[in-house]
């Protein structure tokens, strides 16, 4: 028979990962970091927290082994420790979608009514990319596009889209994507493009899911 105390210590150690993610801001940080490494100042702006508070959450994630760091000059960059961390976040999110009561209403409260938005699956987009009859817009912030993006995607951050609509190649359908299924940027882009008379789709999820599926990814040199 195994040592019960040793078993308890093992499961306590495993639970540290769950404890590290048992905070909404830390989960949000993993969601942002799934797009690519970022310095603490940018992360604080993304999640609407002070630099001090964001640093505190990042240190908790670092102690649990979920993130790693890299120093460049005066900046410290944070990133997921491995693809397994991103996969864990995607799986946790999927379990919540399946079992957490009221999540649909919370999603509607945040993202609004999505029923009128066209959606394209990863498989459908892969086919359209082979045919070459679609324009793919990455509407995430520019640093995330530089860290990794879909093949042939055009970087057009959502806060620039309205002024730069004329740059979107005419004559083709448009697919917009961002960070994942709870990212509002792609929804806003599809609504904006549709109002402008374009046939526009939202990718069903986002860049992390595309990458985890083993689909091609490009990075800015």
């Amino acid at each position: 028979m195994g040592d019960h105390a040793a078993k308890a210590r093992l499961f306590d150690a495993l639970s540290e990962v769950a404890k590290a993610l048992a905070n909404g801001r830390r989960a949000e940080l993993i969601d942002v970091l799934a797009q690519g490494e970022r310095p603490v100042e940018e992360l604080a702006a993304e999640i609407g927290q002070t630099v001090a508070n964001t640093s505190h959450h990042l240190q908790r994630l670092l102690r649990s082994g979920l993130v790693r760091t890299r120093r460049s000059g005066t900046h410290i960059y944070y990133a997921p420790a491995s693809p397994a961390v991103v996969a864990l976040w995607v799986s946790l999110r999927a379990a919540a979608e399946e079992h957490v009561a009221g999540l649909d209403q919370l999603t509607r409260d945040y993202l609004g009514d999505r029923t009128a938005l066209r959606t394209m699956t990863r498989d459908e987009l892969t086919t359209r990319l082979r045919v070459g009859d679609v324009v793919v817009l990455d509407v995430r912030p520019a640093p995330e596009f530089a860290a990794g993006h879909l093949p042939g995607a055009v970087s057009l951050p959502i806060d620039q889209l309205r002024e730069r609509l004329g740059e979107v190649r005419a004559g083709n359908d448009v697919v917009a994507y961002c960070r994942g299924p709870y990212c509002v940027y792609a929804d806003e882009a599809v609504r904006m493009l549709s109002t402008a008379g374009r046939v526009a789709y939202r990718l069903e999820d986002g860049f992390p899911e595309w990458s985890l599926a083993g689909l091609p990814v490009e990075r800015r040199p």
Side-chain angles (χ1 to χ4, degrees), residues 16-17 19-30 33 40 43-44 47-69 78-79:
E16 284 302 310
V17 170
K19 291 178 183 177
L21 287 175
N23 175 281
R25 303 295 71 71
R26 291 197 288 271
E28 193 175 359
L29 282 167
I30 293 295
L33 289 172
V40 63
L43 290 167
I47 69 169
Q49 299 288 302
T50 64
V51 169
N53 196 32
T54 303
S55 295
H56 173 76
H57 287 307
L58 288 167
Q59 289 305 307
R60 181 66 180 86
L61 292 169
L62 188 64
R63 290 195 300 273
S64 72
L66 291 177
V67 302
R68 56 178 172 81
T69 60
Y78 290 82

Side-chain angles (χ1 to χ4, degrees), residues 31 89 93 97 103 107 110-111 114 179-184:
D31 193 55
W89 165 237
R93 196 180 62 207
E97 290 166 355
L103 198 61
T107 301
Y110 173 51
L111 296 170
R114 285 176 147 180
R179 292 170 173 163
Y182 296 110
C183 178
V184 71

Side-chain angles (χ1 to χ4, degrees), residues 31 86-108 110-111 114 122 179-183 202-206 209:
D31 193 55
V86 180
L88 171 65
W89 165 237
V90 171
S91 296
L92 186 153
R93 196 180 62 207
E97 290 166 355
E98 187 74 21
H99 301 294
V100 175
L103 198 61
D104 286 347
Q105 184 59 53
L106 291 171
T107 301
R108 285 192 296 272
Y110 173 51
L111 296 170
R114 285 176 147 180
R122 276 179 263 127
R179 292 170 173 163
Y182 296 110
C183 178
R202 176 182 60 84
L203 185 62
E204 63 177 351
D205 34 47
E209 293 79 11

